[in-house]
Amino acid sequence: MAKQNVAEQFVDILVRAGVERLYGVVGDSLNPVVDAVRRNSAIDWVHVRHEESAAFAAGAEAQITGKLTACAGSCGPGNLHLINGLYDAHRSMAPVLALASQIPSGEIGLGYFQETHPDRLFQECSHYSELISSPKQMPRLLQTAIQHAVGRSGVSVVSLPGDIAAEPAPEKAAETALVTSRPTVRPGDAEVDELVRLIDAADKVTLFCGSGTAGAHAEVMEFAEKIKSPIGHALRGKEWIQYDNRFDVGMSGLLGYGAAYEATHECDLLILLGTDFPYNAFLPDDVKIAQVDVRPEHLGRRSRLDLAVWGDVRETLRCLIPRVREKENRRFLDKMLKKHADALEGVVKAYTRKVEKHVPIHPEYVASVLDELADEDTVFTVDTGMCNVWAARYITPNGRRRVIGSFSHGSMANALPMAIGAQFTDRGRQVVSMSGDGGFAMLMGDFLTLVQYDLPVKVVLFNNSSLGMVELEMLVAGLPSYGTTNKNPDFAAVARACGAHGVRVEKPKDLAGALKSAFKHKGPALVDIVTDPNALSMPPRISAEMVTGFALSASKIVLDGGVGRMLQMARSNLRNVPRP
């Protein structure tokens, strides 16, 4: 039996850790690893057109599956291109292993061609970033990197010189058992006791939920029922907590809607469940606040806390539910539910008035029709900017759909490459990239990746020929818009030239038919929809502090925007609300 080299050992360990694909662009120093992948039937090489797309795709796959994924870049410029996608994966808490191949080991530190120091460069966007300078470090260093990525839910980076990758692997290397899943964390008894005391002493309690409520939907609903609490959510909590939720009062923050803001400010006790909500201007400073999070470094970094509870949301609620006293008075809950429905009633009109005749097409209308026609288990990948607004307000969660985007890092151009990673996990599942024209154009080259692998991703392009969110930011600062206009091609024609299905929509009456034809097409498809550049959006509550440095404006050209089917859901929640 031929002796393994380091590259082969590296790939074998990835396979043992459950990695099925390695996203990247081939190149000199990476060649030994790529060749090892070629000869290993348990893992595939996915050839993207830009390494940034490789990192976004790996991050998306990790978010969909919850398992370790991997990406790679060749030395110098190659692995540098990974950095933006790795920042996003790290901030999204996606377990990703990045291979940054390196120049020949004997040349490091001597200004060699394409020399960089990836073990230093990636430190800020990873839990672990180290250089393999000797075959003897394998496999322990790679195993340590995997354990950091999986155990701490984020990125690990391994730098590997091409010459080291081609050397023989050390004999009798220990095969340490790999960490492939995270444990649950129960809070301490003292914290549980104190939280029970705070809840029992409060007349009005509000729950505000983030992505940390994933897997805890049933417990959150049971808890809210017992303490008669309205439930608001952050954007990353939407897909986990909004569906089948008769306590829903909407979303707070810069993309917010409904009564979530009021519910968090008019309560006696606000409980933050699994959220690292970044916009503290939307959080109250005059009510008691308790926070539950599995990451202790998140506790108290956004707001003053009366109690910090280190633990999983589900495990914490399982401790609380049997112990808290059931509240009989639901006046606060009913008041917030009614405020929520009333708030939605007004904004629905903003996109229903003559919208089917409005040209250019209202993007709200596009998102609403998309929500109606998409499958019940669709994965939506969402570009940063106005697409975030339309997804937040129109895509209806149901416990089976997924909505992922660059919600923490806020990068442009994420939707298309994320769709690549999402589609590779299941070719039979509908994946829709909600792309803006600016974001799509930035990494448009990887539309060719869809064609090359015949990935049936459907790109729904909100084409307003502008950087809409940036224009709104300029309005906030009192500046005229400048440098925000895009001179775009017919993107549908570009898609067809690439070998995909492409259709352009300029009239609302053609929208539904175009989406249906794209969804029926078995391969990749793009629907280029010309939308109104003046259709911008505002949150339901604005203060001077919130306006500073972000896209908020009282300008007359800014529309409130609708909320899709959420009014129907809110009204259904009022059936049991006592009438005066």
Side-chain angles (χ1 to χ4, degrees), residues 242 245-250 257-259 333-334 336-345 348 563-577 579:
Q242 191 186 26
N245 181 355
R246 62 186 185 277
F247 311 99
D248 178 46
V249 292
Y257 54 81
L333 171 59
D334 293 340
M336 290 301 114
L337 290 175
K338 188 173 188 311
K339 277 192 173 185
H340 179 56
D342 290 345
L344 299 188
E345 191 87 56
V348 164
V563 288
R565 288 185 280 177
M566 282 182 277
L567 175 63
Q568 180 182 349
M569 292 190 294
R571 283 298 177 199
S572 69
N573 290 339
L574 293 177
R575 291 173 184 169
N576 297 319
V577 176
R579 302 297 180 187

Side-chain angles (χ1 to χ4, degrees), residues 299-346:
L299 296 169
R301 73 176 183 177
R302 306 300 187 197
S303 64
R304 173 199 54 77
L305 294 183
D306 293 275
L307 180 64
V309 180
W310 181 12
D312 293 332
V313 170
R314 185 170 63 175
E315 292 302 313
T316 302
L317 294 182
R318 286 177 174 178
C319 294
L320 288 174
I321 290 169
R323 298 189 53 190
V324 296
R325 289 199 303 267
E326 183 164 3
K327 296 186 186 297
E328 302 296 331
N329 187 335
R330 55 175 290 147
R331 280 180 295 181
F332 176 63
L333 171 59
D334 293 340
K335 176 184 176 183
M336 290 301 114
L337 290 175
K338 188 173 188 311
K339 277 192 173 185
H340 179 56
D342 290 345
L344 299 188
E345 191 87 56

Side-chain angles (χ1 to χ4, degrees), residues 21 23 56-69 92-96 214 236 239-240 377-381 400-405 417-427 429-432:
R21 280 164 287 277
Y23 299 90
F56 272 126
E61 180 182 332
Q63 290 182 68
I64 295 296
T65 65
K67 300 191 301 184
L68 181 73
T69 61
S92 298
M93 296 179 285
V96 174
R236 291 191 65 199
E239 62 178 330
W240 305 114
D377 65 345
T378 297
V379 177
F380 296 90
T381 60
R400 298 172 61 200
R401 286 177 166 180
R402 295 297 310 274
V403 181
I404 60 176
M418 282 183 166
I420 293 170
Q423 192 72 83
F424 265 114
T425 67
D426 184 351
R427 285 178 173 266
R429 187 176 186 180
Q430 187 179 77
V431 176
V432 173

Side-chain angles (χ1 to χ4, degrees), residues 488-549:
N488 290 328
D490 180 337
F491 286 110
V494 173
R496 293 192 296 272
C498 292
H501 175 87
V503 60
R504 185 174 172 92
V505 180
E506 297 181 357
K507 297 179 180 179
K509 65 183 179 66
D510 299 326
L511 176 62
L515 289 175
K516 288 177 181 178
S517 68
F519 290 164
K520 287 180 181 178
H521 183 70
K522 292 184 179 180
L526 183 145
V527 183
D528 180 9
I529 306 167
V530 180
T531 60
D532 187 352
N534 290 329
L536 305 177
S537 183
M538 288 167 47
R541 186 65 67 93
I542 302 173
S543 70
E545 185 180 8
M546 297 172 194
V547 168
T548 303

Side-chain angles (χ1 to χ4, degrees), residues 152-207:
R152 298 183 65 183
S153 295
V155 170
S156 284
V157 181
V158 174
S159 303
L160 178 62
D163 61 314
I164 300 294
E167 288 188 21
E171 294 183 9
K172 298 180 181 180
E175 289 196 1
T176 306
L178 294 171
V179 171
T180 56
S181 61
R182 301 180 71 231
T184 57
V185 179
R186 181 197 182 280
D189 291 338
E191 286 73 27
V192 173
D193 291 344
E194 180 61 14
L195 187 50
V196 169
R197 187 192 68 77
L198 287 173
I199 294 167
D200 287 346
D203 293 325
K204 300 177 292 184
V205 181
T206 293
L207 306 180

Side-chain angles (χ1 to χ4, degrees), residues 403-482:
V403 181
I404 60 176
S406 187
F407 298 143
S408 295
H409 186 48
S411 173
M412 284 182 66
N414 62 286
L416 173 63
M418 282 183 166
I420 293 170
Q423 192 72 83
F424 265 114
T425 67
D426 184 351
R427 285 178 173 266
R429 187 176 186 180
Q430 187 179 77
V431 176
V432 173
S433 171
M434 294 178 65
S435 298
D437 57 294
F440 179 76
M442 187 176 283
L443 284 176
M444 187 167 60
D446 269 294
F447 189 79
L448 296 172
T449 302
L450 302 184
V451 177
Q452 179 160 332
Y453 289 96
D454 196 29
L455 291 173
V457 169
K458 314 307 178 190
V459 177
V460 177
L461 188 59
F462 291 71
N463 182 2
N464 62 5
S465 297
S466 71
L467 303 178
M469 189 66 83
V470 180
E471 285 193 355
L472 194 49
E473 290 170 346
M474 290 179 171
L475 286 171
V476 171
L479 301 172
S481 59
Y482 182 75

